[in-house]
Amino acid sequence: MPTSETERTPTDRAPSDRVAPAEGVIGTADAEAGAAYRPADLPADRPADLPLADRKRQRSGDEARGRAMRAAISVIAEKGTAALRMSDIAERAGMSTGHILYHFGKKDRLLLEVLAWSQADLWTRYQEAADRAGSPAEKLDLFVRFYLPRHQGDERYALWTQVLAQHHDEAGRRILTALLDGWDERLEAIVREGRELGRFADVDLPEFTIRAVAMLSGLSEDVMFGRSRWQHTSVHAFALSALERELRPASRP
């Protein structure tokens, strides 16, 4: 469950304001999810196509929605879903309950709405960093950093836990599947590039992706649980080393 919050550099990470997915970020799985579910914060028109006054109003609306989303992530991680009230999110966001209802609509869609926003934000920041990376190895490093939670109380990972614990209809399951598949696609793209450049071994791509994501998910659960083994050892360094060993070409030491 990729949930870490990462800033615009590979090493510094922090919560971020909402940004729309960058050009080229959305993969096949993301497109399929969009066909079934379109978060309300994704406008039909690009800001550049709108009059100046409308663009200002849209930016203001995006900022307010981003504030509401971040507040929701924080409250959900803190209180869980059973005790969650829209008024709690409103108080945390410094907004009225009416504004929160405007942004989220029905409560039963709240978790998926917030998760979709959170992942779109995270993927955008990942793509921005990956576009600046100079090699497949650097992109792999970034992937691991963005996937793993930062610490035991990582709010985005807690959100994933809450979402997966809920019962979802078929549409909801398609959304979740697409969000998870989106990370598989990104990892496969990195490995494919590395193979083509001769930097990575010619691994079986689907099998490697399954193993890699399963390992990262297991390590993430360890971090969130607070396993003592990671108190003095970098989980990022451990994961990256394991992936690099498997991807190292046979001709290299």
Side-chain angles (χ1 to χ4, degrees), residues 1 76 81 109-116 156-168 172 175-176 179:
M1 287 181 288
I76 290 168
T81 56
R109 300 297 292 183
L110 171 63
L111 292 179
L112 284 174
E113 181 89 5
V114 175
L115 183 62
R156 297 197 188 219
Y157 197 96
L159 175 61
W160 264 107
T161 301
Q162 296 288 340
V163 172
L164 291 177
Q166 301 297 304
H167 174 75
H168 299 283
I175 296 166
L176 290 173
L179 292 175

Side-chain angles (χ1 to χ4, degrees), residues 17-197:
D17 292 334
R18 179 192 181 274
V19 286
E23 195 74 25
V25 172
I26 304 300
T28 302
D30 306 305
E32 291 175 354
Y37 172 69
R38 180 183 178 85
D41 63 312
L42 300 182
D45 296 316
R46 295 174 298 170
D49 296 333
L50 301 175
L52 178 59
D54 290 341
R55 292 203 301 271
K56 289 181 178 179
R57 283 194 293 271
Q58 181 169 296
R59 284 195 296 270
S60 177
D62 287 347
E63 291 169 0
R65 187 169 179 78
R67 190 164 73 251
M69 289 290 182
R70 290 190 297 276
I73 292 173
S74 176
V75 173
I76 290 168
E78 180 181 314
K79 295 179 175 291
T81 56
L84 179 66
R85 298 178 303 174
M86 290 299 198
S87 59
D88 295 328
I89 300 174
E91 181 179 359
R92 187 70 55 91
M95 302 167 70
S96 70
T97 303
H99 276 104
I100 295 300
L101 290 172
Y102 170 80
H103 286 299
F104 291 120
K106 294 182 179 180
K107 182 179 176 180
D108 61 358
R109 300 297 292 183
L110 171 63
L111 292 179
L112 284 174
E113 181 89 5
V114 175
L115 183 62
W117 178 89
S118 174
Q119 289 299 291
D121 171 67
L122 189 62
W123 281 335
T124 299
R125 295 198 176 278
Y126 163 77
Q127 191 63 44
E128 290 174 348
D131 287 344
R132 296 191 300 270
S135 68
E138 292 179 19
K139 293 178 182 179
L140 183 65
D141 185 312
L142 283 168
F143 183 90
V144 173
R145 288 185 184 276
F146 275 77
Y147 196 105
L148 294 171
R150 295 181 302 162
H151 49 71
Q152 185 176 357
D154 189 288
E155 291 179 342
R156 297 197 188 219
Y157 197 96
L159 175 61
W160 264 107
T161 301
Q162 296 288 340
V163 172
L164 291 177
Q166 301 297 304
H167 174 75
H168 299 283
D169 57 17
E170 187 59 32
R173 291 178 64 84
R174 286 198 301 271
I175 296 166
L176 290 173
T177 299
L179 292 175
L180 292 168
D181 287 352
W183 283 96
D184 289 1
E185 292 177 3
R186 286 159 176 80
L187 180 57
E188 289 178 358
I190 294 170
V191 177
R192 189 177 295 109
E193 179 185 357
R195 289 192 315 186
E196 292 173 353
L197 294 174

Side-chain angles (χ1 to χ4, degrees), residues 200-232:
F200 292 160
D202 189 21
V203 295
D204 182 287
L205 200 51
E207 290 186 3
F208 172 82
T209 300
I210 291 173
R211 289 194 301 273
V213 171
M215 178 190 70
L216 291 173
S217 295
L219 291 175
S220 296
E221 292 172 2
D222 258 16
V223 172
M224 293 298 291
F225 183 71
R227 296 289 295 273
S228 60
R229 65 179 63 162
W230 304 116
Q231 290 180 359
H232 305 292

